[in-house]
Amino acid sequence: MSVVFLPYSFTRSVSFCQVFRSQLSISSVSDQDAYRAGLQPVSQWKAYGLNGYPGFIFIPNPFLPGCQRHWVKQCLKLYPQKPNVCNLDLHMAPEETTDLWGQSKEQLRRKGSGKKEPRSLLEKLRWVTLGYHYNWDTKKYSANHHTPFPLDLAFLSEQVARACGFRGFQAQAGILNYYHFDSSLGIHVDESELDHSQPLLSFSFGQSSIFLLGGLKREEAPTAMFMHSGDIMVMSGFSRLLYHAVPRVLPNPEGTALPSCLDQALSSDLPVGSVIEHSSEEDWQVCAKYLQSSRINMTIRQVLSEGQKFPEESGTNAKGQAPSEDSHHQENSRVKRHKPNKDS
């Protein structure tokens, strides 16, 4: 396994000889649209690529101060709501998973450092699907299992894609992963989308992680790098179908309960048309307590190209879910941690 060093998030993880500055399409995103998405102007972003991985782009935290909080709150409070789908639907009645936030917030707010305390429902959350809902049994999407994709997340994703040269990107499906310090994500490739010409976008919030970027075959040795709160990864072109994994979640390197970028308050002066919303102090206290031992990752994809349709299939359960809660995440697994997991 090779190890790479990049400025900021890649520090101590990737060798400098492999790294180069990636060019962004600054004119494709107006400063106003960047602000509306909670992002710095693209001219202020730093972006990096890796030799041997064409199409892979790493963008260290380009978010404006306080704006990460919006996406954390959405992932915990709004996006798990019905009609979206989550792992808890596998073994709980629909009425029991209607309001995970409401059922968890007081328990989370009072939570101490004791490991033996019962977990809230939010702490049992492992994944949520948006838009075209991924079928974990068939490893496919279908026209029959689709709900509206969140408009704010679509806007954010489309600005990032445009900045990376993908002006026509449409956010059609999302998989949100919720990690704790004992969680991992096995090696897999995201190939179920019918359109591979558009990028896979990955957004990370909360605690840090090790990310492994492999090759076109499982057995190819991966390159390791760190992912910190606010970092964005784009996998496109050759890198769109590379194997990858998250073998470990780590405390943020600053040594504090939360990374300093999450301590920053949101400006009271939001631009007209901003998709970012202010969070109440009460809501943020719940989010902050959750993130002290957790990491949230949003991966956004385009499933179909313009005008493309799903092939007709017979005998398929369009709303099939994962065969087990642990088919996507691996937890408490110190043995065979890097062995292949089910594809996501």
Side-chain angles (χ1 to χ4, degrees):
M1 178 173 66
S2 60
V3 180
V4 185
F5 295 85
L6 282 178
Y8 182 64
S9 290
F10 283 157
T11 302
R12 292 186 303 278
S13 62
V14 193
S15 68
F16 281 112
C17 62
Q18 291 181 260
V19 177
F20 60 88
R21 287 291 295 267
S22 289
Q23 296 298 313
L24 297 172
S25 182
I26 296 175
S27 62
S28 294
V29 180
S30 68
D31 289 356
Q32 186 69 9
D33 280 344
Y35 291 140
R36 288 175 59 208
L39 298 165
Q40 301 173 35
V42 178
S43 59
Q44 297 180 21
W45 298 9
K46 292 181 174 64
Y48 302 94
L50 295 176
N51 288 322
Y53 298 95
F56 176 79
I57 304 172
F58 186 96
I59 305 171
N61 182 14
F63 289 93
L64 290 168
C67 289
Q68 288 188 54
R69 291 187 175 192
H70 170 84
W71 303 110
V72 170
K73 185 192 73 172
Q74 297 297 79
C75 287
L76 292 175
K77 186 175 183 178
L78 182 65
Y79 298 157
Q81 293 181 10
K82 298 292 169 279
N84 298 330
V85 181
C86 72
N87 63 291
L88 298 179
D89 297 324
L90 301 175
H91 48 79
M92 297 178 69
E95 59 270 18
E96 295 179 296
T97 61
T98 298
D99 185 13
L100 301 180
W101 174 271
Q103 297 179 70
S104 304
K105 60 181 182 180
E106 289 305 323
Q107 186 177 348
L108 270 171
R109 193 179 287 113
R110 297 192 305 266
K111 193 174 184 68
S113 57
K115 293 184 178 180
K116 294 185 179 181
E117 294 184 55
R119 292 185 302 168
S120 65
L121 288 179
L122 275 179
E123 292 171 296
K124 296 178 181 179
L125 196 61
R126 293 294 170 262
W127 51 260
V128 168
T129 55
L130 310 171
Y132 286 113
H133 296 282
Y134 183 71
N135 185 314
W136 303 90
D137 288 330
T138 65
K139 299 180 181 176
K140 295 180 181 179
Y141 300 94
S142 79
N144 297 329
H145 199 195
H146 174 269
T147 56
F149 194 92
L151 294 178
D152 58 348
L153 184 51
F155 186 76
L156 169 69
S157 302
E158 288 159 11
Q159 304 319 303
V160 172
R162 288 172 68 92
C164 294
F166 296 92
R167 298 178 65 94
F169 178 82
Q170 299 177 53
Q172 297 175 341
I175 297 179
L176 315 181
N177 286 311
Y178 301 80
Y179 298 85
H180 305 300
F181 285 134
D182 57 356
S183 303
S184 65
L185 178 63
I187 188 168
H188 67 284
V189 60
D190 294 275
E191 60 185 357
S192 298
E193 296 74 28
L194 275 63
D195 181 12
H196 296 152
S197 68
Q198 295 294 335
L200 176 72
L201 310 180
S202 172
F203 302 85
S204 293
F205 304 107
Q207 300 299 327
S208 301
S209 70
I210 295 174
F211 178 79
L212 299 180
L213 182 62
L216 293 172
K217 298 179 180 179
R218 282 183 186 271
E219 58 269 23
E220 292 185 43
T223 292
M225 61 196 78
F226 290 125
M227 292 286 289
H228 299 310
S229 193
D231 291 348
I232 299 174
M233 286 194 319
V234 179
M235 297 176 69
S236 66
F238 170 83
S239 294
R240 175 62 179 80
L241 295 176
L242 295 183
Y243 280 91
H244 52 282
V246 179
R248 198 165 174 199
V249 176
L250 303 167
N252 87 83
E254 298 173 52
T256 51
L258 292 179
S260 57
C261 59
L262 289 172
D263 288 333
Q264 298 169 320
L266 184 63
S267 169
S268 59
D269 186 22
L270 294 175
V272 175
S274 175
V275 301
I276 303 298
E277 299 174 348
H278 284 97
S279 299
S280 68
E281 188 58 34
E282 179 184 7
D283 280 356
W284 179 245
Q285 287 176 3
V286 176
C287 293
K289 184 59 71 75
Y290 176 89
L291 287 182
Q292 286 179 10
S293 60
S294 304
R295 169 182 180 257
I296 298 173
N297 177 249
M298 311 187 301
T299 56
I300 314 303
R301 314 102 189 285
Q302 179 167 329
V303 178
L304 301 170
S305 60
E306 190 71 36
Q308 188 177 17
K309 295 182 179 180
F310 289 101
E312 292 188 13
E313 296 183 9
S314 59
T316 298
N317 173 16
K319 296 191 178 183
Q321 301 306 319
S324 72
E325 182 175 342
D326 294 325
S327 66
H328 193 52
H329 276 296
Q330 295 172 333
E331 296 200 44
N332 296 312
S333 174
R334 301 304 177 194
V335 181
K336 298 183 179 178
R337 179 179 286 274
H338 302 285
K339 292 294 184 181
N341 201 359
K342 291 189 181 292
D343 292 350
S344 64

